[in-house]
């Protein structure tokens, strides 16, 4: 198989095109997993201080992020 390592600051794009993600906080690995897992367990909200939701329609998914401030 092939792998790509990318650094993305747009959470929606990162979730849409990644099978697996690694969250970094304070220069350390906070957690890693699928975008869905990281949203559902609350890690995205904790690390980025955003409200997260997944909108699914058929086979397509949209990941929505709203700042809490």
């Amino acid at each position: 198989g092939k792998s790509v390592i990318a650094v993305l600051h747009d959470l929606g794009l990162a979730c849409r095109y990644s099978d697996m993600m690694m969250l970094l906080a304070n220069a350390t690995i906070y957690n890693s997993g699928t975008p869905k897992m990281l949203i559902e367990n609350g890690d995205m909200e904790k690390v980025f201080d955003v409200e997260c939701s997944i909108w699914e329609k058929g086979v397509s998914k949209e990941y929505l992020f709203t700042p809490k401030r």
Side-chain angles (χ1 to χ4, degrees):
K2 296 182 181 182
S3 298
V4 173
I5 297 174
V7 177
L8 299 173
H9 294 270
D10 183 317
L11 295 177
L13 286 176
C15 288
R16 186 177 301 135
Y17 294 108
S18 301
D19 296 322
M20 297 291 292
M21 297 176 68
M22 184 180 298
L23 297 181
L24 302 176
N26 300 318
T28 60
I29 298 170
Y30 186 84
N31 200 358
S32 63
T34 65
K36 184 175 181 175
M37 183 201 87
L38 296 172
I39 290 171
E40 288 177 346
N41 71 9
D43 287 340
M44 289 274 204
E45 290 189 21
K46 293 174 193 163
V47 170
F48 297 109
D49 197 29
V50 294
E51 292 182 13
C52 307
S53 60
I54 303 172
W55 181 76
E56 297 184 50
K57 184 177 182 183
V59 295
S60 65
K61 293 181 186 170
E62 291 293 325
Y63 299 89
L64 307 171
F65 302 93
T66 307
K68 288 186 176 181
R69 302 173 210 185

